[in-house]
Amino acid sequence: MAKDVKPTRKNLMAIEERIELSERGHDTLEKKRDGLIMEFMDILDQAQDVRDQMDDRYERAQRAINMARAMEGDVSVRGAAAALKEHPEITTQSKNIMGVVVPQIESSKVKKSLDERGYGVVGTSARIDEAAEAYEELLETIILAAEVETAMKKMLTEIETTKRRVNALEFTLLPQLYENQEYIEQKLEEQEREEIFRMKKIKAKKEEEESVARAEEEAESEAEEPIAADD
């Protein structure tokens, strides 16, 4: 690639400017990559906690619903579920983490009081209430898990993209620029040495011509002196 670059001062200055910009960009991307990794590790820890919490709440909800079915029967449990009038509402917003836009999921009407569940207090037992509460808590955890997992995937994608850019600068672009810089500098030095050598030859030739001219003048002057004496 270096041989395709014309070795001129202008090109050398342009390459040096690109090197400076690329080095600054490389440093910035490295800092971004390291920052993203730190943020990702925090989100990863949070995701693990949410997963553990979701597993625990799922098991609790399963135990509660199984107990309600055993004590009240499937008909009563299904009737209580069918009585629900207000369903949970999900809204999504976004937040920025080091340039990465990740979702922020907010929910409402997930956890309800006894009178908000629709099935009423009369005709149901505490077992159904416990099952409803357990599933409400499970749903809240699932929503949080969706937010954290999505953020984690987006962060991981951005980390991989940033790493590829860092590697492209470090192992491809910058080495090529350094090679071009070295090639042009060597060619310019060769041109400078050739120019100095050429100027020395011109100077030496000029001095030689001047010396010959002086010798001829002296010879002519000496040849004219006897003629002047005879006159």
Side-chain angles (χ1 to χ4, degrees):
M1 179 180 175
K3 294 182 180 180
D4 298 332
V5 180
K6 191 173 181 180
T8 63
R9 296 273 177 197
K10 183 178 179 181
N11 285 342
L12 178 61
M13 291 176 62
I15 287 174
E16 288 174 343
E17 184 177 352
R18 286 191 65 191
I19 288 175
E20 183 180 356
L21 290 173
S22 298
E23 287 176 342
R24 285 207 305 263
H26 179 267
D27 293 341
T28 301
L29 285 173
E30 274 195 327
K31 292 176 182 177
K32 180 181 178 180
R33 179 200 60 193
D34 296 342
L36 286 171
I37 290 174
M38 292 179 63
E39 291 288 346
F40 175 78
M41 296 306 296
D42 291 340
I43 295 176
L44 183 63
D45 291 338
Q46 185 182 359
Q48 187 60 54
D49 292 340
V50 172
R51 287 172 186 171
D52 294 341
Q53 188 180 45
M54 187 166 59
D55 290 340
D56 293 340
R57 290 188 172 181
Y58 175 76
E59 292 178 2
R60 176 173 175 265
Q62 284 296 96
R63 288 195 301 268
I65 197 69
N66 289 336
M67 183 63 71
R69 284 173 175 170
M71 299 295 294
E72 301 295 325
D74 282 346
V75 175
S76 297
V77 173
R78 291 178 183 275
L84 183 64
K85 295 179 180 179
E86 291 189 345
H87 295 280
E89 295 180 356
I90 305 296
T91 58
T92 58
Q93 297 180 348
S94 61
K95 59 182 178 180
N96 192 304
I97 302 178
M98 295 197 67
V100 183
V101 179
V102 298
Q104 189 170 15
I105 303 175
E106 296 181 358
S107 59
S108 60
K109 301 180 182 179
V110 176
K111 295 195 71 173
K112 298 178 176 61
S113 60
L114 290 175
D115 58 336
E116 290 175 334
R117 288 177 183 151
Y119 55 74
V121 180
V122 179
T124 58
S125 69
R127 299 297 181 184
I128 292 179
D129 296 336
E130 291 174 359
E133 182 181 357
Y135 271 94
E136 288 168 356
E137 291 178 352
L138 175 60
L139 180 57
E140 284 188 331
T141 309
I142 291 173
I143 293 170
L144 178 59
E147 176 183 322
V148 174
E149 293 282 346
T150 304
M152 187 171 64
K153 290 178 181 179
K154 284 182 172 290
M155 293 291 289
L156 185 59
T157 300
E158 187 66 21
I159 288 171
E160 291 300 323
T161 300
T162 305
K163 284 173 64 178
R164 285 196 297 270
R165 290 174 179 172
V166 170
N167 291 339
L169 285 170
E170 184 172 351
F171 299 111
T172 303
L173 180 60
L174 281 170
Q176 289 175 352
L177 291 173
Y178 292 143
E179 182 183 358
N180 290 342
Q181 181 188 34
E182 183 179 1
Y183 170 76
I184 293 177
E185 287 176 344
Q186 288 177 350
K187 286 297 181 181
L188 289 176
E189 288 175 2
E190 290 176 6
Q191 292 174 6
E192 187 175 353
R193 286 195 297 269
E194 289 174 358
E195 181 65 17
I196 292 173
F197 179 74
R198 188 178 70 85
M199 294 300 294
K200 285 182 177 179
K201 285 188 67 177
I202 292 174
K203 183 179 180 182
K205 185 176 180 181
K206 185 176 180 181
E207 289 176 349
E208 182 181 356
E209 290 175 350
E210 291 176 350
S211 178
V212 170
R214 284 196 300 271
E216 290 177 350
E217 289 177 358
E218 290 175 358
E220 290 177 359
S221 177
E222 290 175 357
E224 292 175 354
E225 285 180 0
I227 296 175
D230 292 340
D231 290 346

